[in-house]
Each structure stands twice: as C-alpha cells, then as structure tokens.
Amino acid sequence: MMTHNKTEKAFRCLFFACAFVLSIIACKKEDEMPVTGTDPVAVDYHQDAATQFVEADGAKYAYRVLGDKGGIPLVLVSPLAGGLDDWDPAITNGLAQQYKVVIFDNKGVGSSTGKTPSTIAEMAKDAVTFIKAMGYPKVNLMGFSMGGFVTQQIVLTEPALVNKIILTGTGPKGAEGLSKLPELLAATAGLSKDESFLRFGFTDSDASRNAGKAALARVNKRTVNRDVPLSQEASTAELTAVLAWAQPYPEALNELKAVTQPALIVDGDMDLPVPVINSVNMSKSITHSQLVVFPDAGHASFMQNPDKFVQYALDFLGK
C-alpha cells in the first residue's frame, strides 16, 4: 500500500507528465512562458465565457458555454486533473465557431461540488447526470485521455444520448502500454513541471516542443475568474480510476464493436502514456470510425496541431 506521501508524489508526477495539469502551470505570469505560436481563432470565446452552475443529484456542476450556435451541442470531457481552464483555447474557440461547445467540471472536480468517484463508470454516470440536467436530449462528445475513457463508457451505457464521439490521446479499457505508467512517471523524476508537460505531451523535436510551449501560453492566457485547482481528494480519486482502467481487460475491443455512433479517433504517432496502437485498435473495432494520426506528435497531438485538428473535427461533425 502506498503511503500518503508516495501517493501524493505519484499524483503530482502524473499531473504534469501526462499534460493534464495546465491549471497549476497557468498560475505563471505570461512573461514566464513566451508565446511561440498564435491563436488561430479570431473570436476568443474561451477568454470571456462566464462560469455557470446547474444543480443535479445533490451537486452543483460548474460549466461554461462557448459560442452561440444551435443544433446538437459538443460536450468536452476533461482529462485527469483537468478543469475548465485546462482546454486549449485554440481548440475550443475553433470548434465554437460552428457548434455550441460546453466544458464542465465533473462531480467534485474544480468548482463543482460533490464527491469525485474513483471509477470511470461512476464518472460517466455523473457526466450523464450533468448532460441531462442541462436539458440536452442528444450530444456530441469529445474526450481527451481520461475523458476519452469516460466518453467510451457513456456511449456504451447511454447510447441514445450520444450522436458522435471524438476520442483524443486515449485508449480502450486495459489499453496497451497504459499499465507501464508508473515506469514512465519514474523517468520524469527531477524534471520541471514544464519539461514534464513537454516530455509527455510532445516529442523531442524543436517543432513539437515549440508547439507545446505555444499551447501552454494559450492555456495560461485567461487570468480572470479561472477555475479552482482540484482538491487532493478529487485528484486521488481520479488517479485511482485511471490506474484501474489500465488493468488488463480482454473484452474491451469486443465491447466497442457495439458502438454504432460515428467516431473520430485522434492521436500522435509517439504518444507515451497511451500508445498509438490503442487508437488503431479502437478504429478497427468501432464500425463507423475515422483515424487521424499526427506525425512527430505525442499525447497532446491535437494541441500541437490545433488548426488541422479543428478542421478535422468540424468536417467530421458536419457530415
């Protein structure tokens, strides 16, 4: 059994190394992280959207609505330790040009109240509770990493609620290579927060690292009414859920064959935490799927290629 200090240390490593912890990095002043890229979107919905709350199942869910488009909304499901301000504005703003984009903190996360569950299945139930509380009869879902785990669970257990899904940097239950996460974390010992983010989210090439620095700068840009960091209790619960999802589960790909919704699956060819083979395998199991693998890209491949990703996503959702 891990001691409290060891658990906390492991979580901190995972928080930064897997590119899930932009909320803490965001407290840096803008001049500490030079902007090496530009936000490709003219209208900055992400910077101005107000945080709102909806009550359901004894909890208050914090959320923001980006853009004012009609039709089926696109709900984004956050990665491990991610909150409202951990999404890349280049992504959210780009998507909000054509769709109503909804970002939210699941139960017990960030500004939301309640107790964060320690299983992906329970997280999916809470996300469904939020979606139904918002009055949405059908949604498109986009999940990043752990958010992709939750998205898969939702589409399997609440298929009538889901129109299309976008899965980025993620894998099926028992994903290949995910069980090696502790070894990957050990390899980041001694690295700074920013270096851990770049190491796991991007590759060693100058182009990829520069794109990672630009993504961090965009995420840090909002300075007013930012979301609050996760509590230690919520952080530990999420980490527990991810490690449980990593355990071998031979039936995962067979279960995904039941998914009839169209799926856009996106990954980098050098994803360390969730190797790209998982995206390939999911694309073979989900009948109506489209696979996009970005070259010279890691776990945060969609943040490295925001323009291309947004175009892929808009084309996919618009079909």
Side-chain angles (χ1 to χ4, degrees), residues 87-120:
W87 290 103
D88 185 344
I91 303 298
T92 55
N93 290 341
L95 296 171
Q97 291 181 101
Q98 295 187 27
Y99 291 89
K100 176 186 291 184
V101 175
V102 181
I103 56 178
F104 75 105
D105 285 338
N106 215 342
K107 186 178 288 185
V109 174
S111 299
S112 291
T113 64
K115 182 179 177 62
T116 303
S118 57
T119 68
I120 297 299

Side-chain angles (χ1 to χ4, degrees), residues 10 22 36 55 70 73 76 88 97 104 111-112 119 126 141 150 181 189 194-195 202 211 238 258 264 274 289 292 312:
L22 303 176
T36 55
E55 293 190 38
L76 275 53
D88 185 344
Q97 291 181 101
F104 75 105
S111 299
S112 291
T119 68
D126 290 342
L141 292 174
V150 175
L181 195 54
D194 292 351
E195 281 300 319
F202 305 84
E238 287 195 347
L264 173 63
V274 193
S289 64
V292 175
Y312 276 122

Side-chain angles (χ1 to χ4, degrees), residues 138 155-156 158-165 258-263 286-289 316:
K138 191 174 287 291
V155 78
L156 287 171
E158 296 278 347
L161 186 64
V162 183
N163 181 52
K164 295 183 178 182
I165 60 174
V259 175
T260 59
Q261 289 84 349
I286 300 176
T287 303
H288 305 290
S289 64
F316 167 73

